[in-house]
């Protein structure tokens, strides 16, 4: 798979997330996907994302930086959103905050097999 192919799949994956088109998630995510070394499977991964959107109704995944070296994509995702209540154990309570997530995806057969991510919690802390 070329870098251009993988980037295209990744952009379509982000579009799927932003549309909350959960019926298509399996097109992009492997049946045995793991997140931060925890096995989730597609159902668990979907549940995690659905919970994220419940907690953050205006959540939108925006790729600020994407580096591709097949079978891996590294991305810096930018978020401007208003989490309800507590987010990452911080009392955000509906205030709009901006933060980034640094994330690596390993693909297998054109689908995401492993994900490692870190959210910039200090950026949120500085805003509340």
């Amino acid at each position: 798979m070329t870098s251009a192919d993988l980037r295209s799949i990744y952009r379509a994956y982000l579009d799927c997330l932003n549309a909350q088109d959960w019926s298509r998630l399996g097109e992009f995510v492997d049946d045995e996907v793991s997140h931060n070394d925890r096995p989730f499977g597609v159902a668990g991964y979907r549940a995690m994302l659905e919970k994220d959107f419940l907690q953050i109704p205006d959540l939108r995944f925006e790729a600020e930086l994407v580096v591709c070296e097949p079978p891996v994509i590294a991305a810096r995702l930018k978020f401007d959103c208003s989490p309800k209540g507590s987010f990452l154990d911080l009392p955000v309570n509906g205030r709009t905050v901006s933060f980034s997530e640094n994330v690596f995806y390993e693909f297998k057969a054109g689908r995401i097999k492993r994900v490692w991510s870190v959210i910039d919690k200090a950026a949120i802390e500085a805003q509340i």
Side-chain angles (χ1 to χ4, degrees), residues 110-125:
R111 295 190 302 163
I112 297 167
K113 178 73 175 178
R114 299 194 306 173
V115 181
W116 300 272
S117 72
V118 177
I119 293 174
D120 186 357
K121 186 176 178 180
I124 300 168
E125 290 171 330

Side-chain angles (χ1 to χ4, degrees), residues 16-76:
C16 175
L17 298 186
N18 288 329
Q20 299 180 55
D21 189 357
W22 308 128
S23 65
R24 293 189 55 222
L25 190 62
E27 294 176 27
F28 305 102
V29 176
D30 188 85
D31 295 339
E32 298 177 9
V33 66
S34 67
H35 181 268
N36 289 343
D37 294 325
R38 295 174 299 171
F40 268 85
V42 175
Y45 197 78
R46 175 180 173 164
M48 175 186 69
L49 290 165
E50 287 176 331
K51 181 181 174 191
D52 290 344
F53 276 95
L54 283 174
Q55 188 176 19
I56 310 169
D58 61 348
L59 182 62
R60 181 156 180 81
F61 290 78
E62 296 289 338
E64 186 175 54
L65 174 66
V66 176
V67 178
C68 184
E69 187 174 317
V72 175
I73 282 188
R76 180 174 173 86

